[in-house]
Amino acid sequence: QKNKPAYKELFYNTKLSEKFRYELYDRRMDYKMKRGIEICDLYDKEAKKIIITKRGEVKDFGYAVDQANSVITLIVNGIYNPGNNQEENLQVKKLELLLILNKRKNIIRSLEKDIKSFTFLSKINAIYALCREKSIEFGIRFAYENNGGTL
């Protein structure tokens, strides 16, 4: 395990990038808004999908939703275009949150029934509404880390 990166999100993002041929954007910062913002962790060029990953517990995931909200605003206002290809219109059609739970014992089957954080659910509803308004498909995937640190 000496080749594992220093933090687990990068490890997962690297593996997903290699397996699905996503472009790796983890820790790439954009400063167009006078403050650094990480646009996404992975970019699926074929599906025109940005993927934001976060590892932790539900209480840690609000930041990922806030990041997604900022990113969608940048993209729909023409301030940022994933892929950095100015010759091609790379309009984002999908946004996915990949939330990796590292201590959860039961599987999330329903956001409303299995997530007890009103703040998190409110943020999810807001980003869903924004994406719907902008004709961007929105999705959430949950992954579960086992004790050995694999999904």
Side-chain angles (χ1 to χ4, degrees):
Q1 311 236 11
K2 58 186 171 186
N3 292 331
K4 270 193 181 181
Y7 64 102
K8 289 258 176 95
E9 269 176 44
L10 179 59
F11 174 73
Y12 294 132
N13 289 335
T14 301
K15 292 296 182 189
L16 290 168
S17 173
E18 291 167 357
K19 182 174 183 177
F20 298 107
R21 297 187 186 154
Y22 296 149
E23 293 179 22
L24 185 62
Y25 275 65
D26 195 335
R27 302 292 175 165
R28 267 199 230 173
M29 302 299 280
D30 188 276
Y31 293 94
K32 291 185 175 103
M33 299 294 289
K34 296 186 181 177
R35 61 179 171 79
I37 183 169
E38 184 180 36
I39 297 298
C40 60
D41 293 296
L42 299 162
Y43 179 64
D44 180 346
K45 190 173 182 175
E46 287 182 28
K48 297 184 179 180
K49 174 173 65 174
I50 57 174
I51 303 166
I52 296 173
T53 62
K54 182 70 178 158
R55 178 183 171 269
E57 292 303 306
V58 171
K59 65 181 175 62
D60 304 320
F61 294 152
Y63 171 78
V65 180
D66 291 341
Q67 176 188 355
N69 203 339
S70 296
V71 167
I72 290 300
T73 302
L74 288 172
I75 290 168
V76 298
N77 290 326
I79 297 171
Y80 187 78
N81 191 6
N84 293 322
N85 186 344
Q86 301 303 320
E87 298 171 11
E88 183 182 351
N89 180 11
L90 294 173
Q91 184 177 4
V92 171
K93 294 185 177 182
K94 299 177 182 180
L95 166 68
E96 179 178 282
L97 295 177
L98 173 57
L99 306 176
I100 303 165
L101 292 138
N102 62 351
K103 294 180 183 171
R104 190 166 185 108
K105 298 200 184 330
N106 59 330
I107 293 175
I108 294 172
R109 299 188 193 286
S110 163
L111 284 176
E112 295 82 15
K113 294 177 183 174
D114 296 330
I115 306 269
K116 304 299 182 208
S117 170
F118 177 77
T119 302
F120 177 74
L121 292 173
S122 296
K123 289 181 178 199
I124 290 296
N125 283 332
I127 190 71
Y128 173 76
L130 178 63
C131 285
R132 188 171 174 190
E133 175 188 319
K134 303 300 182 184
S135 300
I136 296 171
E137 188 179 316
F138 174 72
I140 303 174
R141 276 193 305 155
F142 291 98
Y144 304 89
E145 187 178 79
N146 67 22
N147 292 338
T150 59
L151 297 178

